[in-house]
Amino acid sequence: MSEESPSAEVSPHSNAVSGETSMDKSKRYDRGIRVWGAHGQEALEAAKVCLLNAGPTGTEALKNLVLGGIHSFTIVDGAKVTPPDLGNNYLLTADGLGMPRAQCAAECLKELNESVSGSYVEETPRSLMTSSPEFFKPFTLVIATQLGETDAVTIDGICRQHGVKLVLLRSYGLLGYVRPSVPEMCVTESKPDNKVDDLRLSNPWPELAAHAAALDLSATQEHVHSHVPYALLLLKATKHWQEEHGGKLPSSYPERTAFKDLVNSWQRHVDGIPLDEENFTEAISNAHKVWAPPSVSSELQAVLDDPCAASITQQSPDFWVLVAALRRFIEQEGDGQLPLEGSIPDMHASTQQYLDLQRIYRAKADVDAAAVQAHTRALLEAAGRDPSAIPLPDIKHFCKHARSLRLVRCRSLEEETGPGSCRGSALRQALGQEDTAANAALYVLLRAADRFHQTYQRYPGTFDGEVEEDAALLKSQANALLAECGAAGGTVGGGGGVSDDLAAELCRCAAGELHVVAAVVGAVAAQEAIKIMTGQFVPLGGCLIYNAMACTTSVFAF
Amino acid sequence: MELEGRWRDLDYLLNRQGNVVGPGFEPGPEIREFLQSDCRVLVVGAGGLGCELLKDLALSGFGCIDVIDMDTIDVSNLNRQFLFRMQDVGQSKANIAAQRIMQRISGVKVTPHHCMIQEKTLDFYEQFHVIVLGLDSLEARRYMNSVACSFLEYDEDGQPDLATVKPMIDGGTEGFKGHARVLIPGITPCFECTLWLFPPQTKFPLCTLAETPRSPAHCIEYAKIILWPKERPDDTFDADCEEHMRWMYDKALARASEFGIQGVTYQLTQGVVKNIIPAIASTNAIVAAQCTLEALKLVTMCSSGLNNYMMYSGTDGVYTLTTPYERDDKCPICSAGVSFDAAPSTTLQELIDMLMKDPDLGKHLSAPSVSYGSTNLYMRGALEQQTRPNLEKPISELVDGDGSVIHINDRQLVAAMKVRLKFGPSNGEMDS
Ligand SMILES: [Zn+2]
């Protein structure tokens, strides 16, 4: 952080360990490294995080990041520790009553991990945003909690201007809200749950086809026969089938059954009874990989078709240079296919037969990556950059994950909330659908509560005697908002407006921060922060509404 | 003296009437008084979920909390188990966790139990209003399930007696994913009703390990399962001993290079040998807070409850799914009694053999004892000789008749399995 920054260093504990050895670190962070890898951990350890407001929503979010091993944090909060803080915030202490909340939280958070440094600023976020918007420039990420809509729009503008990533979050009674705001996130390692193996069974490259052809099943000894990897069996069966069916693949159910019967018929028999060889059983249960190879997902297609990949300039981020190279590969060497990923699943096989096969797939992946590298070099050179600016390991890494590339773009808060630019029709649709109606209504009510606050300088439900009246006022604010966005009349049942029950529930909790809701919301935001900082997994592309009454969530991109 | 206004935000929820609340919700200050003084909650496990659960419960008004865990603190816990520090390594998780919570949150009493869950009696478990599980093994979950279900009784109409219902809340995480669920024995499914929700563990065939290793994991498993017992028969393998783990790694590496297999690392060796589940602070926090919220709803009815399973995944945006799973009427652990066909002339010995062979019931049994009401029909151990003559008697002489419920006990079970006998006609097949 710069010298001018108005932050005050919290005095470190007398025996604070600054030089934790890398061995200790790899042990301490082992369970996280198994999720995001050593390179993900490195990214976290370089991250400087700024927290706005040290209520439980904020401290819980930051707690999870400090435990994970970020570089440092700075807390901005203008309040003093008061009794309600001791009823909902674990990271404030009774000893701290009357002290700055920012200081007390910073001290408690530093205790959680001696290798993370922390500082604080005793000032309200609004005042700091107004007086020194430059303050936020050095941070990797800002975690902005419990801000009303106006302040949220302001911090979003500041962060976008300085290229600082932002996650907004709020807990409000039994309602939670998490909203990343990063203009563009290009994800190479999206780590999808269900990966389809890319085996090229129906369109093998020459080396793979030759390897399969070289194996004469009928001439093999029994032990070898029962240890031929299923991929080879399927390659042979597919070739056989195509020769007999004019080059076509089995497409109907009877054809696919016949295909499996063909594979089955190659099993060894003793006295007319098939031997039940395990590799053949595997081949039959994996036969769908012949006619259902992995496809190009709509998400990947959107990345490939993005205008950013169409024209590469000197300023183009490496990701887009690589996407442009990938496109050229698909059109040219790939003949419509992506670069081969290169890894194969385990198959019942002898060590030698399996390793031979693995080598062939890996070699092809290397050849494909080399082709992508050539395109990359050409693109870089044409853009006036050093052709070797993107090293081969990075290109290989990109090719390995090419099938699951993802792109997430978040609209600015100003666009989302502006009456001229908000997506009223999407909101109307969400309010009209059974599964999203309640959560869309909560989204509207949360924004209505901010308007209520602007009008009356208090949140609805603050006073015991006025809860019902406030609910009616809140509802009319919500309906006015819907009308403004062009989203009126879209509710379930067509009654218009939001439900009385939900408006009443929002007033019941009077903007209170319940610890458990804060813990859920803070931790969801911490997950988003980790995804954004490591560039792994896929961050939210809109706002998340957490409904603690129904235990549901919805994601809206309005 | 309680600080004025300390529980302001919680009191909004507990003192004000709501429109989305549980049945019979009566707001008022008595609720928080009950939570703080009378309600007893047990947290099982003081690990990643347990630490969060203790904090969440204490800050949700629960004043009398017990925590049970036999583990000690390890360095690799510190990335998420926020109640522990480097200098606590080696100490009891339950003890340190209880201390830290009481130091920070005034007015809360946390009683630690540094022991195995199996060491406690049913009387111990019976005193709690609600049990919250922060466990990482199916085995321990099944044990706690049989404990909770052991209290359950049904009335004559087959309805669960609500006074005997011991609710449990369960959470689990792996990486960016997790689940929270509410188990109300007799009302929502128990673990045994939905065992299929837990994926089977991958086990490699021995012949693959011994003859045709193909992956680094095969080489590591070989070192663990075959080489260790062969080369160090006198040592008990201890996964927390560095020398043992180093040995395992060296052997796996040697095996891999012998076969030309790449990719054995020390980290992978640890992962395979200890079956490590990746675990991070944020996911634990999400799941534990959701579980605590459900405990609060269950005890106070302050809001609508989770029915009855919520899965969470943060890998691709945020995706959650709330599913009302259904009970298995034939569950031997939580149902009023599984129907079981037997001819009246079947002898007790034959009946036991049939139960052992039954695909659903037999998997819970190894050496069953049988009782009917307060009568011991056949008991293992000290009463074996005394009850042995019953084995030759037809079952119709031992119970009251069609529909009688017998209790089957086994050392594999904590709670008796309830079997409702259905007397079919005597036929040759039964007698043979
Ligand atoms: Zn059950």
Side-chain angles (χ1 to χ4, degrees):
Chain A
M1 298 228 350
S2 61
E3 294 283 12
E4 300 80 24
S5 85
S7 70
E9 274 294 317
V10 176
S11 61
H13 285 231
S14 53
N15 58 349
V17 188
S18 55
E20 216 176 344
T21 66
S22 64
M23 188 60 184
D24 285 344
K25 274 193 172 173
S26 70
K27 276 189 193 165
R28 178 177 191 129
Y29 300 132
D30 178 81
R31 298 303 185 270
I33 291 170
R34 287 173 197 275
V35 179
W36 46 69
H39 59 302
Q41 187 63 33
E42 227 169 84
L44 288 185
E45 285 177 32
K48 295 171 179 157
V49 176
C50 177
L51 171 69
L52 304 187
N53 287 327
T57 312
T59 56
E60 285 294 317
L62 194 50
K63 175 198 93 197
N64 297 317
L65 299 178
V66 168
L67 289 167
I70 52 170
H71 176 272
S72 57
F73 65 84
T74 300
I75 300 177
V76 179
D77 187 300
K80 298 278 195 279
V81 180
T82 61
D85 290 316
L86 304 182
N88 70 7
N89 199 333
Y90 186 80
L91 292 146
L92 295 173
T93 63
D95 294 345
L97 274 172
M99 263 170 57
R101 212 159 70 150
Q103 181 186 3
C104 189
E107 281 170 4
C108 288
L109 282 157
K110 276 163 61 75
E111 277 177 21
L112 302 181
N113 190 342
E114 56 272 28
S115 54
V116 177
S117 57
S119 59
Y120 69 92
V121 181
E122 191 193 353
E123 192 175 350
T124 64
R126 180 178 296 172
S127 141
L128 189 59
M129 287 189 288
T130 315
S131 66
S132 34
E134 299 287 314
F135 171 85
F136 298 97
K137 206 174 167 182
F139 293 103
T140 315
L141 176 87
V142 172
I143 297 182
T145 75
Q146 304 301 94
L147 297 185
E149 194 165 293
T150 316
D151 288 339
V153 169
T154 308
I155 190 66
D156 188 31
I158 292 172
C159 286
R160 281 175 184 250
Q161 189 196 338
H162 294 309
V164 176
K165 295 163 174 111
L166 172 67
V167 179
L168 293 148
L169 62 151
R170 257 173 117 171
S171 44
Y172 191 108
L174 291 168
L175 161 65
Y177 168 93
V178 179
R179 164 75 153 85
S181 188
V182 182
E184 178 177 288
M185 289 174 281
C186 305
V187 183
T188 307
E189 288 177 79
S190 70
K191 305 195 173 176
D193 289 335
N194 301 308
K195 235 181 75 192
V196 185
D197 300 311
D198 189 5
L199 295 175
R200 308 284 163 96
L201 298 174
S202 62
N203 52 346
W205 62 96
E207 290 81 359
L208 181 64
H211 184 67
L215 176 76
D216 182 359
L217 264 183
S218 57
T220 58
Q221 288 182 323
E222 200 171 291
H223 186 74
V224 176
H225 194 268
S226 63
H227 285 82
V228 176
Y230 77 72
L232 281 186
L233 296 175
L234 290 174
L235 279 162
K236 292 184 88 68
T238 306
K239 183 159 183 283
H240 186 98
W241 179 277
Q242 284 177 315
E243 281 166 3
E244 299 203 333
H245 294 82
K248 291 207 176 73
L249 291 174
S251 59
S252 64
Y253 180 76
E255 280 183 354
R256 287 171 182 177
T257 308
F259 179 85
K260 291 178 188 175
D261 289 343
L262 169 70
V263 177
N264 219 0
S265 72
W266 291 349
Q267 290 213 55
R268 284 276 158 87
H269 289 65
V270 172
D271 300 332
I273 301 160
L275 274 177
D276 275 335
E277 292 162 291
E278 202 175 325
N279 53 336
F280 280 85
T281 313
E282 279 188 357
I284 288 159
S285 60
N286 285 286
H288 62 275
K289 291 178 182 170
V290 172
W291 49 81
S295 57
V296 171
S297 67
S298 55
E299 287 97 344
L300 174 58
Q301 196 58 54
V303 175
L304 292 169
D305 294 343
D306 197 274
C308 289
S311 60
I312 296 304
T313 67
Q314 204 161 10
Q315 279 71 43
S316 293
D318 287 357
F319 179 86
W320 289 114
V321 176
L322 290 167
V323 173
L326 181 65
R327 280 175 51 156
R328 290 189 179 180
F329 175 89
I330 295 168
E331 282 160 19
Q332 300 173 29
E333 299 87 344
D335 195 18
Q337 299 284 326
L338 292 171
L340 189 75
E341 198 218 302
S343 63
I344 57 174
D346 190 32
M347 305 175 197
H348 182 82
S350 69
T351 303
Q352 204 49 54
Q353 297 203 67
Y354 181 80
L355 293 183
D356 287 346
L357 191 63
Q358 194 177 50
R359 205 168 298 120
I360 290 166
Y361 276 89
R362 281 190 183 158
K364 170 66 171 161
D366 285 345
V367 169
D368 285 359
V372 174
Q373 185 189 29
H375 291 304
T376 306
R377 292 180 68 93
L379 283 157
L380 286 168
E381 195 158 23
R385 289 179 63 189
D386 173 6
S388 55
I390 306 178
L392 183 60
D394 290 7
I395 296 171
K396 282 189 167 176
H397 182 256
F398 181 85
C399 289
K400 191 171 167 57
H401 298 282
R403 199 171 288 281
S404 47
L405 299 177
R406 293 288 290 271
L407 176 65
V408 177
R409 290 194 175 114
C410 303
R411 301 182 91 202
S412 71
L413 255 280
E414 196 174 4
E415 286 172 293
E416 182 181 327
T417 55
S421 53
C422 73
R423 291 172 176 159
S425 59
L427 178 54
R428 191 169 64 237
Q429 202 182 357
L431 285 165
Q433 269 172 3
E434 197 76 47
D435 57 334
T436 50
N439 293 347
L442 289 174
Y443 168 86
V444 174
L445 283 165
L446 184 61
R447 290 186 55 190
D450 282 338
R451 294 181 166 211
F452 186 106
H453 190 271
Q454 281 200 328
T455 313
Y456 304 104
Q457 277 74 55
R458 64 182 170 84
Y459 281 107
T462 302
F463 301 110
D464 284 338
E466 297 171 12
V467 180
E468 274 177 45
E469 291 136 59
D470 282 1
L473 290 171
L474 177 67
K475 205 183 149 175
S476 62
Q477 293 272 16
N479 288 337
L481 180 79
L482 286 177
E484 231 174 74
C485 300
T491 46
V492 175
V498 297
S499 93
D500 290 338
D501 282 350
L502 291 176
E505 282 296 304
L506 225 68
C507 296
R508 177 185 174 199
C509 288
E513 280 181 273
L514 294 164
H515 179 77
V516 279
V517 174
V520 170
V521 170
V524 172
Q527 281 199 348
E528 290 308 305
I530 289 167
K531 291 191 270 182
I532 292 166
M533 293 189 294
T534 60
Q536 297 178 31
F537 301 95
V538 186
L540 283 166
C543 86
L544 172 93
I545 294 292
Y546 165 61
N547 176 344
M549 295 163 270
C551 309
T552 58
T553 61
S554 304
V555 180
F556 301 118
F558 297 138
Chain B
M1 247 306 282
E2 186 72 291
L3 287 161
E4 179 73 27
R6 179 180 175 194
W7 299 103
R8 181 193 65 199
D9 292 356
L10 182 63
D11 284 345
Y12 289 137
L13 187 66
L14 302 181
N15 291 350
R16 289 177 171 183
Q17 189 52 265
N19 293 17
V20 186
V21 295
F25 174 62
E26 287 288 343
E30 308 76 31
I31 298 183
R32 185 157 58 74
E33 278 167 33
F34 170 71
L35 286 176
Q36 286 175 321
S37 311
D38 301 313
C39 183
R40 299 282 310 275
V41 51
L42 173 67
V43 174
V44 184
L49 286 168
C51 285
E52 290 283 339
L53 287 167
L54 291 170
K55 171 200 66 151
D56 294 343
L57 288 163
L59 288 175
S60 298
F62 290 87
C64 318
I65 308 169
D66 286 52
V67 58
I68 181 166
D69 197 315
M70 63 171 294
D71 267 359
T72 54
I73 298 159
D74 181 77
V75 182
S76 64
N77 300 146
L78 302 181
N79 80 321
R80 61 197 187 283
Q81 299 175 19
F82 69 98
L83 296 175
F84 310 139
R85 309 278 172 270
M86 201 56 104
Q87 64 267 25
D88 301 327
V89 167
Q91 301 211 57
S92 151
K93 285 187 177 179
N95 290 340
I96 299 288
Q99 269 176 36
R100 292 278 142 76
I101 293 286
M102 288 194 286
Q103 275 164 12
R104 179 63 55 87
I105 306 170
S106 66
V108 173
K109 182 165 170 44
V110 183
T111 309
H113 305 271
H114 180 209
C115 64
M116 303 205 312
I117 51 177
Q118 291 86 351
E119 285 176 54
K120 294 287 182 186
T121 61
L122 287 177
D123 290 347
F124 169 78
Y125 290 111
E126 194 167 17
Q127 53 186 327
F128 299 101
H129 291 88
V130 55
I131 297 172
V132 192
L133 306 182
L135 293 166
D136 59 4
S137 87
L138 176 58
E139 201 191 343
R141 284 191 176 92
R142 290 179 79 170
Y143 185 84
M144 287 309 302
N145 187 61
S146 62
V147 168
C149 293
S150 73
F151 303 115
L152 179 66
E153 283 172 22
Y154 284 85
D155 64 20
E156 281 156 11
D157 303 329
Q159 294 301 311
D161 174 358
L162 294 182
T164 66
V165 168
K166 183 74 62 193
M168 288 200 301
I169 319 259
D170 173 62
T173 77
E174 176 169 2
F176 277 92
K177 295 176 188 173
H179 77 263
R181 71 186 283 191
V182 178
L183 299 104
I184 307 176
I187 294 164
T188 71
C190 79
F191 284 120
E192 302 293 335
C193 291
T194 52
L195 262 191
W196 50 269
L197 278 170
F198 297 89
Q201 275 200 344
T202 44
K203 276 221 159 71
F204 305 118
L206 267 185
C207 61
T208 297
L209 302 183
E211 289 159 30
T212 57
R214 297 175 294 270
S215 70
H218 291 159
C219 301
I220 297 164
E221 278 287 320
Y222 179 79
K224 179 187 170 188
I225 293 175
I226 294 167
L227 289 184
W228 183 279
K230 202 163 97 190
E231 299 187 17
R232 301 181 70 165
D234 301 329
D235 289 343
T236 308
F237 177 72
D238 174 6
D240 295 321
C241 169
E242 192 143 348
E243 187 271 323
H244 287 188
M245 193 57 81
R246 187 60 63 181
W247 187 94
M248 218 48 103
Y249 167 62
D250 290 340
K251 292 290 175 181
L253 200 60
R255 175 96 177 152
S257 71
E258 180 191 335
F259 283 89
I261 296 167
Q262 289 169 356
V264 172
T265 62
Y266 189 71
Q267 195 199 24
L268 183 70
T269 307
Q270 282 181 307
V272 172
V273 170
K274 295 165 90 166
N275 191 23
I276 292 175
I277 301 164
I280 58 175
S282 50
T283 317
N284 280 309
I286 293 166
V287 167
Q290 186 63 48
C291 288
T292 302
L293 180 60
E294 292 313 313
L296 182 68
K297 291 175 182 176
L298 199 73
V299 171
T300 67
M301 293 291 149
C302 67
S303 188
S304 53
L306 167 62
N307 183 20
N308 45 50
Y309 188 104
M310 182 184 185
M311 71 76 77
Y312 179 95
S313 174
T315 55
D316 189 349
V318 172
Y319 176 74
T320 64
L321 186 65
T322 303
T323 313
Y325 285 116
E326 287 186 14
R327 284 187 55 222
D328 176 1
D329 290 338
K330 293 205 284 282
C331 176
I333 305 300
C334 73
S335 73
V338 191
S339 284
F340 196 79
D341 291 322
S345 55
T346 313
T347 65
L348 183 57
Q349 180 68 61
E350 286 167 344
L351 181 70
I352 290 172
D353 293 345
M354 283 157 65
L355 288 167
M356 300 274 288
K357 277 190 212 136
D358 185 272
D360 292 327
L361 306 179
K363 66 185 173 205
H364 301 285
L365 304 174
S366 60
S369 298
V370 183
S371 59
Y372 178 60
S374 56
T375 315
N376 293 322
L377 298 184
Y378 176 68
M379 304 305 280
R380 312 267 168 179
L383 294 172
E384 204 273 338
Q385 211 167 1
Q386 195 190 319
T387 53
R388 197 188 301 162
N390 283 339
L391 287 174
E392 301 309 319
K393 293 186 188 160
I395 191 72
S396 56
E397 276 181 30
L398 298 170
V399 302
D400 285 327
D402 189 38
S404 295
V405 176
I406 56 169
H407 286 197
I408 319 291
N409 255 303
D410 196 284
R411 58 168 177 238
Q412 286 191 16
L413 295 164
V414 183
M417 202 156 90
K418 294 160 210 138
V419 172
R420 188 179 293 272
L421 293 173
K422 244 175 87 186
F423 283 170
S426 267
N427 60 33
E429 195 194 307
M430 290 285 185
D431 290 333
S432 67

